[in-house]
Amino acid sequence: MKKNLHNKVLNITFISLFAALCYIALTVFFFPVGPMFVHFGNLIVVLAALLIGGWQGGLAGSIGMGLYDILNGHADSSPKTFILKFLIGFTVGFVYTLLSKKLKSNTVAATLGALAGMIVNIIGE
């Protein structure tokens, strides 16, 4: 019982930490490129999915970047952001978990997982 509670608290803490990092990545580290901007938010989602798990990383990205959209005048696109960022994190975690069991190299599994997440992002945009 105590270990299960500890794992839940640790899980919530990591999700909150990565959500905050996603928000900061959108707020501080962005570069305007025409009508859009490049940011490191998706990088944080991929990193979170690889470190703490797919659905946890996706949830962190959804919360952090969805909150950014709501608080910075993009509330109309926040449902799309919430769903897309969750799918990115979930896909990265799923592909990494699936391939890390079959491949001998975790680096290759992580790279292919990140690539799958970016494909989801391109399709979703």
Side-chain angles (χ1 to χ4, degrees):
M1 176 67 180
K2 198 172 192 179
K3 184 155 178 89
N4 192 20
L5 178 64
H6 181 284
N7 287 342
K8 287 182 181 180
V9 170
L10 196 61
N11 222 2
I12 291 170
T13 303
F14 278 128
I15 291 169
S16 303
L17 173 71
F18 279 108
L21 287 173
C22 284
Y23 185 87
I24 290 170
L26 282 172
T27 306
V28 178
F29 302 110
F30 71 95
F31 310 102
V33 178
M36 300 177 66
F37 59 92
V38 176
H39 59 82
F40 293 120
N42 291 333
L43 175 72
I44 303 296
V45 174
V46 170
L47 182 65
L50 292 173
L51 291 176
I52 62 174
W55 72 266
Q56 296 97 328
L59 185 61
S62 294
I63 292 170
M65 290 193 252
L67 189 62
Y68 175 84
D69 282 354
I70 291 170
L71 296 176
N72 290 294
H74 308 288
D76 56 332
S77 66
S78 64
K80 177 185 170 190
T81 299
F82 192 85
I83 293 168
L84 182 60
K85 301 314 171 188
F86 181 80
L87 287 175
I88 290 170
F90 184 79
T91 303
V92 169
F94 178 75
V95 170
Y96 173 72
T97 304
L98 186 71
L99 293 179
S100 65
K101 294 176 183 176
K102 294 183 179 189
L103 299 176
K104 301 222 186 315
S105 173
N106 283 339
T107 306
V108 173
T111 303
L112 293 174
L115 181 63
M118 291 302 105
I119 290 170
V120 168
N121 187 38
I122 291 168
I123 292 170
E125 289 293 324

